Amino acid sequence: MMRRRIAVVGGGPAGLTFARVMHRHGYPVAVFERDPARGARPPGGTLDLHEGLGQLALDKAGLLTPFRAMSRPEGQTMRILATDGTVLRDWRPRPGEPANPEIDRGDLRDLLLGPLDVQWGRGVTRVVPGARDGAVIHFADGRHETFDLVVGADGAWSRVRPAVSTVTPHYTGVTVVETSLDDVDTRHPDLARLVGDGSVAAYGVNRGLVAQRNSGGGVKVYAQFRAPLDGHTSGDLTDAEAVLSGLLARYDGWADALLDLLRRGTAFIRRPLYVLPVSHAWTHVPGVTLLGDAAHLMPPLGAGANLAMLDGAELAEALATGPEGTGPQDMAGAVRAFEEDMWARASRWAKITAAGLERLVSPDPAQALALFDQVQPA
Ligand SMILES: Cc1cc2nc3c(=O)[nH]c(=O)nc-3n(C[C@H](O)[C@H](O)[C@H](O)COP(=O)(O)OP(=O)(O)OC[C@H]3O[C@@H](n4cnc5c(N)ncnc54)[C@H](O)[C@@H]3O)c2cc1C
């Protein structure tokens, strides 16, 4: 193992957790990230890390204690409103209750990065498996490098995935438009009260509106609705006025307090929700594997980053210790055993989150409330 060259493509939750756990076991990994630098783009909103998933992965990386110090258990607080603003549910974790504390993506990235030496600005265009083993990574700048194992952790639109699978993501029928509010406690105290320490959500016919507190007084607002794709892709929406008036028409009749979450947003980003098939798997290809969204993209219902991190930690442990004690020499065996476990776990969660999305953005808004009661009976 010490002489094996291992690379991970993508410095998101999956890739960084993989590299960090490998580092803990004393194995170096080359991390290639397309972003030109740490912090080159806004890292995104908050993530809740579950005990048996993301927190387990952090434990395997030796990072559970610092995570506990920087995460926000109070971020679990959740209020559900009717579209007229009536409070339907107001849930907060009880002291001592196992919670899924929230952490901002940027803080999580910094925690995982620690001593890792990421190669920024190294966008990958494709990966070509070798005739017998290993694989060649081709970079956007025209260079290429050969490794014994290439781990694709490059997210939904993975450039590594075609080396093992012909499957591509498909649109769920649901689009999210995201906006942000800064410094809410000072600039928007009414909205700060509405959102509280955690989240507030309201669900109407085929649409929902969710706002989540981030650290430092930030709030992310997600308008989610059923809409045809119309050739739209993900990205920043430049005509903010037109986007806002489109959203206000879509949420016509909703309480002013909820609409203010949109009206006071600073910029809008479109995210059509794509998924991979629920049981996406592939015939094992020596020298290449996938983790996280690259392997099992699913609706964003609080599992994706958690699964991505656990994938990364478990693959690293499998490589560092070998399957069932066979020792670290059997890299192909370790990867194959890992893939079987990952596919089984991801398939369970893909089914849960697909069914969850159907209920959250549903013709019958009572379904969303029923789902909430089911997952948070307290
Ligand atoms: C609105 C929204 C809210 C969400 N909320 C939650 C939540 O609360 N909890 C949760 O668990 N999950 C949540 N998710 C899902 C979660 O964001 C993803 O499942 C998770 O980020 C997947 O991690 P990853 O490392 O596999 O991929 P990514 O986070 O997508 O990271 C991939 C990395 O690879 C890099 N990259 C991409 N292409 C290349 C290339 N060609 N060459 C080199 N580098 C490349 C990217 O720049 C990126 O850094 C949410 C998703 C969305 C859209």
Side-chain angles (χ1 to χ4, degrees):
M1 263 296 288
M2 285 306 254
R3 282 176 281 110
R4 303 291 177 97
R5 293 196 71 210
I6 297 179
V8 63
V9 180
L16 291 183
T17 309
F18 171 71
R20 191 67 197 264
V21 176
M22 288 293 276
H23 181 273
R24 192 181 192 203
H25 286 278
Y27 297 112
V29 169
V31 185
F32 298 116
E33 167 56 49
R34 182 179 55 189
D35 283 352
R38 171 188 192 148
R41 64 187 160 101
T46 176
L47 297 167
D48 59 328
L49 297 191
H50 304 217
E51 256 191 328
L53 296 172
Q55 289 186 49
L56 179 58
L58 286 175
D59 195 22
K60 291 176 187 293
L63 295 172
L64 199 51
T65 303
F67 165 74
R68 289 204 170 124
M70 63 204 293
S71 63
R72 305 185 308 278
E74 70 282 5
Q76 286 288 282
T77 303
M78 177 86 197
R79 193 176 294 144
I80 311 261
L81 307 183
T83 57
D84 67 1
T86 313
V87 178
L88 300 176
R89 299 287 185 275
D90 194 354
W91 184 86
R92 55 193 61 242
R94 284 188 285 258
E97 197 164 37
N100 304 331
E102 299 275 340
I103 184 166
D104 283 16
R105 277 172 198 265
D107 292 340
L108 178 64
R109 180 198 56 206
D110 292 347
L111 178 65
L112 289 169
L113 272 173
L116 297 178
D117 186 16
V118 172
Q119 301 191 38
W120 302 99
R122 303 288 317 267
V124 167
T125 52
R126 69 196 168 104
V127 168
V128 181
R132 255 185 265 145
D133 51 19
V136 183
I137 300 183
H138 292 261
F139 295 93
D141 62 8
R143 286 185 281 172
H144 63 270
E145 281 184 52
T146 304
F147 291 88
D148 296 298
L149 177 65
V150 175
V151 177
D154 50 341
W157 302 103
S158 171
R159 295 300 192 104
V160 183
R161 191 191 300 125
V164 300
S165 166
T166 55
V167 173
T168 52
H170 61 269
Y171 180 51
T172 55
V174 175
T175 286
V176 174
V177 174
E178 178 186 316
T179 191
S180 310
L181 308 170
D182 296 326
D183 200 9
V184 282
D185 298 302
T186 315
R187 294 168 64 183
H188 311 287
D190 53 334
L191 298 184
R193 279 192 299 277
L194 182 75
V195 176
D197 290 333
S199 303
V200 65
Y203 298 95
V205 174
N206 286 328
R207 68 210 65 196
L209 193 60
V210 180
Q212 282 189 313
R213 186 178 275 268
N214 290 212
S215 62
V219 165
K220 291 269 182 215
V221 182
Y222 303 98
Q224 48 197 38
F225 46 84
R226 292 199 176 270
L229 201 50
D230 285 344
H232 293 310
T233 49
S234 299
D236 295 347
L237 296 162
T238 41
D239 189 350
E241 240 172 72
V243 177
L244 179 59
S245 70
L247 285 174
L248 292 177
R250 201 177 276 281
Y251 290 83
D252 187 31
W254 286 40
D256 258 339
L258 288 166
L259 296 183
D260 279 345
L261 290 166
L262 297 171
R263 288 190 189 112
R264 299 193 216 159
T266 44
F268 296 91
I269 305 168
R270 187 200 322 272
R271 300 188 193 282
L273 299 183
Y274 283 82
V275 291
L276 284 166
V278 286
S279 297
H280 180 228
W282 53 90
T283 305
H284 176 73
V285 174
V288 189
T289 193
L290 304 175
L291 304 177
D293 280 6
H296 46 67
L297 180 64
M298 57 187 78
L301 268 78
N306 280 273
L307 294 172
M309 293 172 69
L310 192 54
D311 291 351
E314 288 193 345
L315 176 61
E317 282 196 337
L319 291 171
T321 59
E324 289 163 20
T326 54
Q329 297 84 358
D330 182 12
M331 193 164 78
V335 173
R336 226 178 272 127
F338 158 78
E339 286 172 342
E340 296 285 342
D341 289 348
M342 173 179 68
W343 292 332
R345 178 173 58 224
S347 166
R348 282 197 306 278
W349 278 99
K351 285 175 193 150
I352 292 169
T353 54
L357 184 67
E358 287 306 304
R359 295 176 75 185
L360 282 185
V361 189
S362 156
D364 174 12
Q367 287 292 323
L369 198 61
L371 178 65
F372 175 80
D373 287 341
Q374 206 176 314
V375 295
Q376 296 190 317

